[in-house]
């Protein structure tokens, strides 16, 4: 642990404090992750990636709804507002399920 501080002091004296704080924060994260089973880590990482990809696909679908319209036109369009409302309800339901 002291070896890392010596490297920070020798090569980056201006940024020593910032690097030391980042190093200490990584040790805290490592202490929390170490007791976890390898399968748990792989499952959580895969699940998070899957959820992000689903959210990105929804966002891509949502972005295609503009069809080159001006923002003011989209705000006044009732069909667009209905789609936005359904999209927000879907996102809130998904996030509430993820928190459980």
């Amino acid at each position: 642990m002291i070896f890392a501080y010596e490297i920070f002091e020798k090569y980056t004296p201006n940024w020593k404090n910032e690097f030391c704080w980042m190093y200490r924060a990584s040790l805290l994260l490592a202490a929390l992750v170490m007791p976890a089973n390898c399968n748990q880590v792989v499952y959580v990482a895969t699940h998070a990636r899957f959820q992000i990809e689903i959210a990105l696909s929804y966002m891509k679908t949502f972005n295609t709804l503009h069809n080159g319209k001006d923002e003011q036109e989209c705000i006044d369009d009732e069909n667009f507002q209905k789609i936005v409302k359904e999209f927000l309800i879907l996102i809130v339901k998904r996030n509430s399920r993820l928190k459980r």
Side-chain angles (χ1 to χ4, degrees), residues 42-73:
V42 170
Y43 172 75
V44 168
T46 306
H47 185 69
R49 180 176 176 220
F50 180 70
Q51 294 299 326
I52 290 170
E53 288 181 8
I54 289 174
L56 287 176
S57 70
Y58 282 126
M59 293 302 289
K60 287 178 186 175
T61 305
F62 182 69
N63 285 337
T64 59
L65 295 175
H66 286 285
N67 293 333
K69 293 181 184 176
D70 187 28
E71 288 183 14
Q72 188 62 36
E73 293 176 15

Side-chain angles (χ1 to χ4, degrees), residues 81-97:
Q81 291 300 321
K82 185 178 121 192
I83 293 170
V84 169
K85 181 180 175 183
E86 291 173 0
F87 178 75
L88 289 174
I89 290 171
L90 176 72
I91 293 296
V92 169
K93 284 182 181 179
R94 287 190 55 75
N95 286 337
S96 67
R97 280 191 230 136

Side-chain angles (χ1 to χ4, degrees), residues 15-27:
W15 292 87
K16 181 184 108 173
N17 290 334
E18 288 80 7
F19 286 139
C20 288
W21 279 105
M22 285 189 278
Y23 183 67
R24 288 183 202 142
S26 70
L27 292 176

